[in-house]
Amino acid sequence: MEETYLLNVEGVKKKILHGGQGELPKLQDGSKFTFHFQTLKDDFERTVIDDSREAGMPMEIIVGKMFKLEIWETLLSSMRIGEVAEFWCDTIHTGMYALVSRGMRRIAEGRDPLEGQKHRCGMGNMFDYHSTGYDDLDELQRMPQPLIFIMELFRVEDPSAYKRDTWAMSKEEKLAAVPVLHSEGNRLVLRREFAQAAAKYQEAVICLRNLQAKEKPWEDGWLKLESLVTPLVLNYCQCQLELGEYYEVLEHTTELLQKHNDNAKAYFKRAKAHAAVWNEREAREDFQRVAHLDPSMAAAVKKELKQLGERMRKKHVEDRKRYQGLFQSSQGL
């Protein structure tokens, strides 16, 4: 189908390349489009800027979530499931493409698209960045121009039919997700599925950290969120202890203790991680802090110190035998 026609939007042309199926989807706030796209310059070579297939993942946007490139919601709303269409969009609709592409590329690279972003409007953020980190996008940012979008729409889902990525959630959705994720993590721990439980705790922490980024550190809102973060981080560290990821535990407990140096449970988990990697002095110091901060844990500390002493004595004996063997071997040469 080669017919070219104008959408009822200024500065947009549409050409259907492959017809879709059924009626136009019924949309509501929170509906999710899943689609592949190509972005091309409107030049003789039709230079490709982005291609979601090359990135290895389809694109998703959610209706009503103020996606920076608002015209995309309009374009997709004109498509049927399975349709492939080409859209020419004038500069009035493409000025924000550089920032949008930057975010999409970061997602494809496994990074947070909002990392480092100040809480300002899109145009304000454009001036903050000066550079997107990609030369071709910097050129578009300096010289906005008409662009061509080729889109293939796969599906449209109602809000209740899918699980939203953390970055796409509203504040209320993130807050509501945290206790659910916490509970799911606890259930997985009881089944000794520690890797899966750790992922649930980590996802909940990410929700809360995203919300904290919009609060002033150490003020009431920030502190309230931090009180929710701390037990989740401790649960995550316990899972990592069970999985033998001791250096991961050392990293997260140390970061936690830099903010909360009176947290006995964090010292206890860090001490166990130190002990596991043979850091005897650091382990003993942390265990002693635990007993000082929380006398109710004194019995557990005593047990851990006894086990640490036995393990270290056994290690010293084994090391001594190993060195003697090496010395005798060198004598025989």
Side-chain angles (χ1 to χ4, degrees):
M1 299 174 66
E2 293 294 329
E3 180 186 2
T4 299
Y5 62 93
L6 295 173
L7 290 176
N8 190 27
V9 180
E10 181 183 358
V12 175
K13 296 178 183 178
K14 176 181 179 181
K15 179 191 293 184
I16 296 176
L17 305 180
H18 184 278
Q21 302 170 352
E23 301 296 323
L24 289 174
K26 294 180 180 179
L27 303 175
Q28 56 182 301
D29 277 0
S31 294
K32 181 170 75 173
F33 292 110
T34 302
F35 59 100
H36 268 306
F37 74 94
Q38 269 191 324
T39 303
L40 302 87
K41 289 185 177 180
D42 184 22
D43 57 14
F44 181 77
E45 296 84 5
R46 287 168 63 96
T47 304
V48 176
I49 301 170
D50 288 308
D51 187 333
S52 61
R53 284 186 172 82
E54 288 188 3
M57 59 186 296
M59 178 65 185
E60 298 175 348
I61 66 172
I62 297 170
V63 175
K65 289 300 177 185
M66 294 187 295
F67 185 64
K68 289 188 178 72
L69 202 65
E70 295 179 9
I71 193 62
W72 272 20
E73 188 174 315
T74 301
L75 305 183
L76 291 162
S77 298
S78 77
M79 299 178 68
R80 292 170 169 80
I81 305 300
E83 180 177 323
V84 182
E86 177 177 310
F87 299 92
W88 177 91
C89 295
D90 205 350
T91 308
I92 59 172
H93 300 297
T94 63
M96 295 300 296
Y97 185 78
L99 283 183
V100 171
S101 177
R102 173 187 184 272
M104 292 187 294
R105 292 181 187 187
R106 290 173 73 89
I107 292 170
E109 293 164 4
R111 300 159 68 189
D112 184 345
L114 303 180
E115 180 183 329
Q117 181 168 312
K118 296 182 180 179
H119 188 57
R120 295 176 59 182
C121 68
M123 194 59 68
N125 277 313
M126 185 177 284
F127 289 115
D128 284 334
Y129 287 129
H130 302 294
S131 173
T132 63
Y134 303 94
D135 291 341
D136 58 337
L137 300 183
D138 287 345
E139 179 188 349
L140 286 179
Q141 187 165 287
R142 288 192 300 270
M143 297 182 295
Q145 56 194 270
L147 294 173
I148 297 167
F149 304 113
I150 299 176
M151 296 178 163
E152 180 179 2
L153 181 60
F154 295 135
R155 59 182 175 270
V156 177
E157 298 170 271
D158 290 337
S160 61
Y162 67 91
K163 177 183 175 183
R164 298 189 189 181
D165 292 328
T166 298
W167 62 267
M169 292 180 180
S170 67
K171 177 180 178 179
E172 292 74 19
E173 289 167 339
K174 288 174 183 174
L175 285 172
V178 168
V180 175
L181 291 165
H182 197 158
S183 178
E184 289 177 353
N186 293 347
R187 178 176 55 81
L188 289 163
V189 166
L190 291 174
R191 292 163 52 179
R192 302 192 64 78
E193 296 178 15
F194 297 113
Q196 295 90 332
K200 296 294 183 183
Y201 295 136
Q202 186 178 43
E203 188 176 351
V205 169
I206 290 171
C207 285
L208 294 169
R209 292 297 190 207
N210 286 344
L211 294 173
Q212 269 191 317
K214 296 177 175 63
E215 301 285 346
K216 290 186 178 180
W218 302 105
E219 292 195 356
D220 289 345
W222 188 95
L223 288 169
K224 184 176 181 180
L225 293 167
E226 185 69 13
S227 69
L228 300 174
V229 168
T230 299
L232 288 163
V233 172
L234 291 173
N235 287 359
Y236 173 82
C237 288
Q238 183 59 42
C239 290
Q240 298 304 320
L241 282 174
E242 297 286 353
L243 294 167
E245 299 291 343
Y246 303 118
Y247 290 102
E248 181 88 356
V249 176
L250 292 175
E251 176 185 348
H252 288 284
T253 51
T254 298
E255 181 182 349
L256 191 99
L257 287 165
Q258 287 171 350
K259 299 176 185 174
H260 312 287
N261 62 6
D262 60 348
N263 192 301
K265 290 181 178 179
Y267 279 117
F268 189 78
K269 295 183 192 305
R270 190 172 74 171
K272 287 176 71 69
H274 276 308
V277 296
W278 308 106
N279 296 338
E280 182 180 13
R281 179 179 60 80
E282 292 88 346
R284 289 187 180 279
E285 288 177 355
D286 278 353
F287 279 132
Q288 288 167 3
R289 287 193 186 98
V290 173
H292 174 72
L293 289 168
D294 188 351
S296 70
M297 298 181 70
V301 167
K302 183 177 180 180
K303 179 181 177 181
E304 292 289 341
L305 286 171
K306 182 180 178 181
Q307 291 177 350
L308 175 61
E310 291 172 352
R311 289 181 68 242
M312 296 307 301
R313 280 192 292 274
K314 184 177 179 181
K315 183 176 185 294
H316 293 325
V317 170
E318 291 174 351
D319 289 345
R320 196 159 48 243
K321 288 180 180 178
R322 187 179 303 110
Y323 295 144
Q324 286 175 350
L326 289 171
F327 178 76
Q328 290 170 356
S329 296
S330 62
Q331 288 278 348
L333 294 176

